[in-house]
Amino acid sequence: MPSTTDDGDQFAEQLNKISDEGYARVDDEGDDKWLSVVWEGSIGHILCTTLHSNGVADGEEIPTPLAREFIEDDGLVFEEPPEKVKREVKRLEQI
């Protein structure tokens, strides 16, 4: 059984990969959720942008435990997001 430290290391690796790739989709059965990491100096902020079934994209910064829960429960798919998601992430980065 993996230890908490191993889980923490794996989560940190996943966040680093999201940061490197730019985006990751949470493999959820509902609305598409896209995770991205924005850096402010050495501090990373995790953004979650949801592309709703009606075509509207909205996002917010989410706490690390929630990001971890999304990743552990649903897994990640590394792929390029739709333009609506990219625009919303850029808007969030300006805030």
Side-chain angles (χ1 to χ4, degrees):
M1 182 170 176
S3 70
T4 306
T5 304
D6 290 342
D7 290 345
D9 290 346
Q10 182 179 8
F11 178 66
E13 287 174 15
Q14 289 168 320
L15 286 182
N16 284 334
K17 185 166 183 185
I18 292 170
S19 181
D20 291 346
E21 296 284 332
Y23 306 89
R25 183 172 54 83
V26 177
D27 192 17
D28 191 11
E29 293 180 16
D31 294 329
D32 283 341
K33 292 179 176 40
W34 296 84
L35 300 181
S36 54
V37 179
V38 176
W39 292 94
E40 189 175 340
S42 62
I43 299 171
H45 301 278
I46 304 167
L47 304 178
C48 179
T49 302
T50 302
L51 182 58
H52 300 280
S53 56
N54 63 1
V56 173
D58 64 356
E60 63 185 346
E61 182 176 347
I62 61 171
T64 302
L66 182 57
R68 175 180 254 163
E69 186 178 307
F70 283 161
I71 291 170
E72 289 175 354
D73 289 351
D74 300 316
L76 296 174
V77 178
F78 291 95
E79 62 188 26
E80 197 70 17
E83 284 302 315
K84 289 179 182 182
V85 170
K86 290 180 181 181
R87 283 194 300 269
E88 177 64 8
V89 170
K90 285 189 188 320
R91 186 190 72 77
L92 291 171
E93 290 175 349
Q94 304 304 313
I95 297 175

